[in-house]
Amino acid sequence: MKTQPTLKHLMLCTLLLLSFSSFSFSGITISKDSTRAWIVQLSSSLPAGSDTTLSKWIRDGLSESILKGTFDTTSNKQKLYTDLNNALSIYHRKVIIRNFDFPGIANGSYQPNGFSQGTQFANFKVKLPSGSFDPDFAVSYAPDVMSFVNNTASLEQLPEGTKLYRVCNDGWDQFTGGYWTRTKPTSISEVIGGTAVQPEWNSFKNIVEYTVPAGGIWVWRGLAAAQKLSNNLNIGQPYLAGGGEQILIPLVYRRLKKADGSFDFRAINPAMQNRIVVLPANELPWKR
């Protein structure tokens, strides 16, 4: 006597079929390996495992058509793959292949911030309220000056307990970097667009929080100037508009002095390090 297959039997048969790498149904071969043919072909000339890596980048959000087109037209596929593999984030990879579909990018062309060293550095050498000027608070590095709209910022004291936030790469040298905001970013657009952070500078992997100690600290406060989308690739259209508030913490709080009075850029000031916490990953909106 024939019996009708039960649901249990059907499920068992399905599992058995799926245990094979591929099977045929109505003349159609279905494979568990869904790697695109062009990736398989390309990966034969790239390092082992590149097919898996390329497929992951597409799942992460890289445009497959733009990625394929970039590889098709480059004269050095190995270098392109290496550059993409070494990129700091998905946003950095998108910049490399000109896949401009992420938040924070402004249409139009980048216009450089005007700069005259003799006059503009003077904006970063104002006297403290005591009437004296401490050279430790001076900003003498041109790119720091130019990172502010009109090359101008104000020296202000932040009171004890003020919270500052920084989006950055891994490591204490990054956690104690110069640029901060008074508000915790709620989107990647605020970081890339508002504070004009080029993806080739930042992995956007961490948000760290710094609490100002007793006695307060003096900082430079101003608006972030526009930046190119990429300095390395000279991409100025589209660009990063900036316009968000940024805080520059002077070196005197972040690094230790050497005997000659200069700063040791590798020596983290423990007074700052001890007041920094790395926020959990769920505090990064673009990682949720």
Side-chain angles (χ1 to χ4, degrees):
M1 181 178 72
K2 286 188 175 181
T3 59
Q4 294 295 322
T6 65
L7 178 60
K8 181 177 180 180
H9 292 145
L10 291 172
M11 292 178 65
L12 179 59
C13 291
T14 300
L15 289 172
L16 288 171
L17 286 171
L18 291 176
S19 67
F20 296 97
S21 62
S22 65
F23 61 92
S24 295
F25 179 75
S26 299
I28 300 174
T29 298
I30 302 175
S31 174
K32 285 168 61 178
D33 182 5
S34 60
T35 304
R36 285 96 168 150
W38 72 269
I39 290 180
V40 174
Q41 181 179 8
L42 172 64
S43 63
S44 65
S45 62
L46 297 176
S50 58
D51 54 343
T52 301
T53 301
L54 289 162
S55 296
K56 182 181 183 302
W57 292 341
I58 293 170
R59 291 196 303 273
D60 289 344
L62 277 190
S63 165
E64 181 177 358
S65 61
I66 297 177
L67 180 62
K68 181 180 183 300
T70 306
F71 271 106
D72 286 345
T73 56
T74 185
S75 60
N76 192 336
K77 292 178 173 53
Q78 178 65 61
K79 182 181 184 304
L80 174 59
Y81 178 79
T82 299
D83 289 346
L84 289 169
N85 204 33
N86 292 337
L88 296 177
S89 69
I90 180 65
Y91 309 105
H92 189 185
R93 291 189 183 98
K94 287 189 173 187
V95 171
I96 290 172
I97 67 170
R98 277 68 170 179
N99 180 187
F100 304 142
D101 69 342
F102 55 92
I105 295 178
N107 293 323
S109 299
Y110 165 74
Q111 299 298 319
N113 208 15
F115 182 74
S116 172
Q117 181 169 327
T119 59
Q120 302 300 344
F121 275 135
N123 291 326
F124 290 83
K125 293 184 178 181
V126 300
K127 291 183 178 180
L128 298 178
S130 63
S132 62
F133 176 75
D134 187 336
D136 286 345
F137 294 93
V139 177
S140 57
Y141 183 52
D144 284 335
V145 177
M146 296 172 68
S147 75
F148 289 92
V149 170
N150 296 326
N151 308 308
T152 303
S154 58
L155 185 63
E156 301 179 7
Q157 188 175 37
L158 298 181
E160 174 184 355
T162 302
K163 304 286 188 183
L164 297 178
Y165 300 92
R166 175 172 166 82
V167 177
C168 56
N169 307 332
D170 293 327
W172 279 106
D173 60 330
Q174 293 292 320
F175 297 166
T176 55
Y179 289 94
W180 298 74
T181 59
R182 293 192 296 178
T183 57
K184 183 167 58 178
T186 59
S187 69
I188 196 69
S189 179
E190 292 178 36
V191 185
I192 294 177
T195 49
V197 176
Q198 293 182 6
E200 64 197 35
W201 296 339
N202 201 309
S203 66
F204 312 108
K205 288 177 62 177
N206 305 286
I207 294 183
V208 295
E209 179 184 81
Y210 169 59
T211 303
V212 173
I217 63 171
W218 289 90
V219 301
W220 292 98
R221 183 175 71 86
L223 301 181
Q227 299 280 354
K228 290 182 178 180
L229 179 56
S230 169
N231 286 339
N232 292 339
L233 300 175
N234 195 29
I235 300 175
Q237 184 177 6
Y239 71 106
L240 308 177
E245 182 185 88
Q246 66 181 14
I247 299 290
L248 176 59
I249 300 179
L251 277 169
V252 67
Y253 299 114
R254 302 187 288 112
R255 299 293 183 265
L256 297 179
K257 276 189 172 182
K258 296 187 289 187
D260 62 3
S262 63
F263 288 100
D264 185 344
F265 290 92
R266 296 171 297 177
I268 308 300
N269 188 336
M272 182 176 190
Q273 180 175 338
N274 294 338
R275 299 187 68 83
I276 289 177
V277 295
V278 182
L279 300 183
N282 62 12
E283 294 283 349
L284 282 76
W286 49 94
K287 281 194 171 184
R288 291 174 190 164

